[in-house]
Amino acid sequence: MAEKSQQPEALVTEITPQSQDFSAWYLDVVRRAELADYSPVKGCMVIRPYGYAIWELIQQELDRRFKATGHVNAYFPLFIPESLLMREAEHVEGFAPQVAWVTRGGTEDLEERLVVRPTSEAIIGTMYAKWIQSWRDLPVLINQWANVVRWEKVTRPFLRTTEFLWQEGHTAHETEQEAQEETLRILALYKEFSESVLAMPVVDGQKSESEKFAGASKTYSIEALMGDGRALQAGTSHNLGQNFAKAFTIQFQGRDKALQHAWTTSWGVSTRLIGGVIMTHGDDSGLVLPPRVAPYQVVIVPIPRGNWQETVLPKAREIRDSLVQAGIRVFLDDRDAYTPGWKYAEWEMRGVPLRLEIGPKDIEKQQVVLVRRDTRAKAPTPVEGLHGPVGALLDDIQRGLFEKARAYRDEHTSATASYDEFKAWMEGRPGFVQAPWCGSAECEALIKSETQATIRNVPFDSPPPAGPCLKCGQPATVTAWFAKAY
Ligand SMILES: [Zn+2]
């Protein structure tokens, strides 16, 4: 093995094994796959081009879905005057410890301090109060792609950073029922997106009172299970009731001519999803990307034998062009300075779903060799009509990753009504644990302080409680899903 470290292959595959230290593995993958890097600003990361390309694909897929459900994009200011943030009491209390303040502009102290938006309900609610006068102005269905800032003490690239990118939808409706329908429509959209595009299975349900968004009536979430058995809240959708409409005076004249408050919602997902993709699919060789969010779905590695630049390379370019024409994202790695072996390891580490090898012998046989990242299966494939089998393989990889992740999630989901058993499970790598809960915040808080496990949500299709409350022994009202979470 000592010899191995002399070879360039070893350099790119130096990643801490997941079983040894999952957290170190994660940071190694983020850095070595060139997804993100630390910046001179504490708690803020730089998203590098390869990581940003994943975000762009996520954006495109989501944006298409938002527009197909009647939403439009707009942009609101980065700064929020202090007095506006203070309007909704719970909202302020929830966000005050995390906001960054602007107190000076140039050389002058500001008359009113500004916060850098931690979320935009306050500024958007203020504008909606101006724009909404009559029931005819409703619904308002606006989304914003933006950055937000929440002053975090402990940060981790993509999962928790002081500044991050996200989308935030903000809608206003005439009736409570419409607002609730919107809240659930978006939650379903997030679930479909996570599962079909990110190949990341999620549990959808309602958050407990203590875990809901500051100022919301009801918060719903999708929760995914990461490779280390911890849950990741991957998206949230909030029914804000009339709380923000009352705080920001979003009023309209109803069909009955009476003045009333609008019903509003807000919802968001962020660059945290990239962290979710890394931790759902990655392995000891590095990143594994689902084809639908892979910046390169296929990497072509020409085998440099003989006069390859006159023979292999032109054929490789031809293949690249034909695949690109078929709508496949392809990178031809024609770099002279690296061996094929080094390139294989490099692109495996960076998670490219399919590798296409082509050498002089393949050209003689009019074939290429396709190698899957997920199973490492190799298949000689005819060059003629190549986009067909390549497309089919990419679909198969996408489906396979989802099925593998779902099987993992199911294997790591268990149920108990015994607190002793629950505590013992939470010691190791527990995954999700379904348990009966009485609904009290006190039990929830005790469970959290004693085991670090939190209620992730109460799924819509959750079975009736299998016994009394896990913690207090009083009658349980629901079966909640618990996990240790990011
Ligand atoms: Zn209880």
Side-chain angles (χ1 to χ4, degrees):
M1 291 308 282
E3 211 177 315
K4 198 182 165 198
S5 65
Q6 302 301 314
Q7 296 172 1
E9 280 80 359
L11 296 177
V12 286
T13 53
E14 263 174 28
I15 290 173
T16 309
Q18 288 189 339
S19 57
Q20 188 183 315
D21 183 343
F22 194 87
S23 176
W25 168 85
Y26 177 78
L27 295 174
D28 284 350
V29 171
V30 166
R31 203 165 35 103
R32 288 171 191 273
E34 298 183 2
L35 299 174
D37 205 350
Y38 295 106
S39 79
V41 187
K42 194 171 174 289
C44 293
M45 65 173 170
V46 175
I47 305 175
R48 300 186 67 177
Y50 195 58
Y52 200 79
I54 298 173
W55 179 238
E56 286 179 315
L57 291 164
I58 289 174
Q59 280 188 306
Q60 286 164 23
E61 290 278 357
L62 281 171
D63 206 63
R64 190 152 49 78
R65 286 167 173 77
F66 295 152
K67 285 171 181 161
T69 45
H71 302 84
V72 288
N73 288 330
Y75 189 78
F76 296 83
L78 171 68
F79 302 118
I80 301 173
E82 182 172 13
S83 57
L84 287 187
L85 189 75
M86 304 314 254
R87 289 250 192 110
E88 214 290 332
E90 277 184 34
H91 192 59
V92 182
E93 202 186 310
F95 281 101
Q98 283 190 300
V99 295
W101 292 99
V102 178
T103 57
R104 277 172 79 83
T107 56
E108 284 171 29
D109 287 337
L110 301 184
E111 266 177 43
E112 180 177 5
R113 298 196 295 174
L114 302 171
V115 302
V116 181
R117 64 178 164 221
T119 178
S120 301
E121 278 76 6
I123 192 90
I124 292 178
T126 305
M127 300 313 296
Y128 282 9
K130 283 187 170 183
W131 298 341
I132 297 166
Q133 309 296 333
S134 150
W135 63 271
R136 293 178 195 86
D137 300 327
L138 295 168
V140 175
L141 305 171
I142 290 180
N143 175 64
Q144 157 166 274
W145 289 98
N147 57 342
V148 286
V149 167
R150 296 177 187 176
W151 218 254
E152 299 283 359
K153 292 194 180 76
V154 182
T155 58
R156 200 180 311 207
F158 295 114
L159 298 173
R160 196 173 294 279
T161 50
T162 294
E163 180 190 9
F164 59 90
L165 304 182
W166 77 346
Q167 60 70 217
E168 49 181 321
H170 295 266
T171 69
H173 305 266
E174 193 180 341
T175 66
E176 183 173 18
Q177 191 194 333
E178 283 174 36
Q180 178 65 6
E181 282 167 8
E182 167 76 5
T183 308
L184 296 182
R185 181 181 303 119
I186 296 298
L187 192 75
L189 184 157
Y190 285 160
K191 181 177 163 75
E192 183 276 323
F193 162 80
S194 290
E195 298 194 334
S196 72
V197 178
L198 307 180
M200 188 168 79
V202 294
V203 180
D204 52 338
Q206 189 174 350
K207 286 295 211 187
S208 67
E209 277 297 302
S210 70
E211 297 274 337
K212 75 180 191 189
F213 178 73
S217 291
K218 291 178 198 155
T219 287
Y220 300 87
S221 72
I222 51 168
E223 305 278 338
L225 194 66
M226 303 293 101
D228 62 347
R230 283 179 182 263
L232 183 80
Q233 178 177 291
T236 50
S237 185
H238 317 292
N239 183 336
L240 304 175
Q242 290 179 312
N243 303 340
F244 284 83
K246 285 178 180 162
F248 295 96
T249 330
I250 308 171
Q251 286 179 307
F252 66 95
Q253 196 177 47
R255 291 168 202 260
D256 60 358
K257 305 275 191 272
L259 196 61
Q260 49 199 280
H261 287 102
W263 300 84
T264 66
T265 81
S266 67
W267 29 272
V269 298
S270 71
T271 36
R272 171 170 249 229
L273 289 174
I274 297 173
V277 167
I278 299 168
M279 292 194 294
T280 298
H281 305 297
D283 63 19
D284 282 348
S285 303
L287 195 61
V288 177
L289 288 172
R292 293 183 72 179
V293 286
Y296 306 127
Q297 296 169 310
V298 177
V299 61
I300 301 176
V301 179
I303 310 301
R305 299 254 161 76
N307 57 342
W308 72 284
Q309 287 180 322
E310 280 81 56
T311 55
V312 179
L313 194 55
K315 193 70 197 166
R317 288 192 181 124
E318 203 181 291
I319 290 170
R320 175 195 59 194
D321 294 347
S322 76
L323 291 178
V324 166
Q325 215 155 42
I328 297 163
R329 295 185 289 275
V330 186
F331 180 70
L332 168 58
D333 191 351
D334 59 0
R335 291 177 292 177
D336 234 351
Y338 300 96
T339 64
W342 187 93
K343 291 176 185 177
Y344 297 167
E346 162 89 356
W347 293 111
E348 267 185 17
M349 187 267 294
R350 301 186 78 183
V352 175
L354 264 188
R355 178 170 82 231
L356 189 159
E357 302 169 7
I358 179 167
K361 282 192 181 143
D362 299 309
I363 292 178
E364 272 172 35
K365 295 186 209 164
Q366 300 187 26
Q367 67 169 37
V368 297
V369 176
L370 295 174
V371 187
R372 292 169 67 137
R373 170 65 178 89
D374 60 342
T375 61
R376 297 205 160 79
K378 274 189 175 200
T381 310
V383 170
E384 181 71 30
L386 188 61
H387 67 272
V390 165
L393 270 176
L394 291 173
D395 288 346
D396 200 55
I397 293 169
Q398 182 78 31
R399 202 165 36 241
L401 288 177
F402 175 74
E403 275 159 19
K404 189 176 166 209
R406 187 168 57 184
Y408 173 87
R409 197 265 316 271
D410 292 348
E411 278 160 26
H412 292 82
T413 299
S414 40
T416 184
S418 149
Y419 193 47
D420 286 338
E421 196 167 52
F422 183 92
K423 279 194 288 193
W425 286 350
M426 287 301 169
E427 296 285 308
R429 283 191 173 192
F432 286 120
V433 180
Q434 305 164 313
W437 174 51
C438 66
S440 96
E442 198 187 342
C443 286
E444 187 184 9
L446 283 170
I447 293 167
K448 184 178 180 179
S449 68
E450 288 169 12
T451 68
Q452 293 179 328
T454 48
I455 293 177
R456 301 320 305 155
N457 64 29
V458 176
F460 296 122
D461 57 358
S462 203
C469 174
L470 180 74
K471 179 65 190 156
C472 69
Q474 298 295 308
T477 51
V478 291
T479 302
W481 285 48
F482 291 84
K484 291 195 213 168
Y486 277 95

